[in-house]
Amino acid sequence: MSDYETDPATGELGEAGDAGTAYGEPEIITLEGQDGATIYAVDVDHDGDAEAAGYDKDNDGQLEQIALDTDGDGTLETRMVDLDGDGSFDAVLTDTDGDGRIDVAALDANGDGLVDRVVADTDGDGVIDTDVKDENFDGVADSVSQDADGDGDSDVTVTDTDGDGTFETVRYDDPSTNPLAQA
């Protein structure tokens, strides 16, 4: 590894480990939303596109929502939300395929900092088809349900019945998706 790196913004050489410092401080723009909320837009690389935005609904200095550009395409596709106003983010929502619709949502229902449920639209049809639940709030998934045929109903569910992190039970909710019934 070299002791020097090229700054992507200027093309100048700098010492290794200084990557990103050539951008200087991020530019933070403060706006007032239509609802009177304060919105902070953060442009880290000074390209004119915000890499992050914060939303302070009640102007108390505590953000209720943060949006991030996680893939560098100029779109804020991931949002973290404080649903109950306690200062901790309870939900993460993201658009994984760039179509402008949320595809994956993760929720911390009991506020312990661990994700308790994840729902996802894995085939891009706009309908949730995967549901992962941690029903005993231990940080390990207890069940995963899948709607394989897109009709809105669960077709198969796998369950960890003894809480050891291994799924022991498979239940086919739709007999047409059960490979044993089709044999």
Side-chain angles (χ1 to χ4, degrees):
M1 178 164 208
S2 170
D3 291 334
Y4 297 96
E5 293 178 357
T6 303
D7 180 341
T10 65
E12 296 176 4
L13 288 177
E15 291 186 29
D18 290 341
T21 59
Y23 294 130
E25 292 294 316
E27 181 179 2
I28 301 174
I29 300 169
T30 304
L31 308 166
E32 183 177 331
Q34 291 180 346
D35 59 358
T38 301
I39 301 169
Y40 303 95
V42 182
D43 182 3
V44 176
D45 58 9
H46 301 281
D47 66 353
D49 294 327
E51 283 76 39
Y55 177 74
D56 183 0
K57 180 178 182 177
D58 52 9
N59 295 307
D60 64 353
Q62 189 170 6
L63 298 176
E64 283 78 34
Q65 190 170 153
I66 296 175
L68 304 168
D69 178 6
T70 55
D71 61 8
D73 69 351
T75 302
L76 302 174
E77 65 275 331
T78 300
R79 291 184 289 159
M80 298 181 300
V81 183
D82 178 5
L83 297 172
D84 57 10
D86 69 352
S88 296
F89 293 107
D90 311 301
V92 177
L93 313 166
T94 191
D95 172 14
T96 61
D97 59 9
D99 67 357
R101 295 185 306 195
I102 298 297
D103 305 308
V104 178
L107 177 67
D108 175 11
N110 65 347
D112 64 357
L114 300 174
V115 172
D116 307 316
R117 187 166 187 187
V118 177
V119 294
D121 172 16
T122 60
D123 59 9
D125 66 355
V127 178
I128 297 298
D129 51 46
T130 303
D131 189 356
V132 181
K133 296 178 185 175
D134 174 12
E135 295 168 355
N136 60 1
F137 305 111
D138 66 352
V140 179
D142 298 312
S143 68
V144 178
S145 297
Q146 175 75 38
D147 174 14
D149 58 10
D151 66 358
D153 296 323
S154 175
D155 297 316
V156 61
T157 301
V158 294
T159 308
D160 175 11
T161 55
D162 61 9
D164 67 353
T166 303
F167 295 108
E168 293 88 19
T169 306
V170 177
R171 183 183 79 232
Y172 292 94
D173 303 310
D174 180 352
S176 68
T177 61
N178 185 340
L180 298 175
Q182 298 172 14

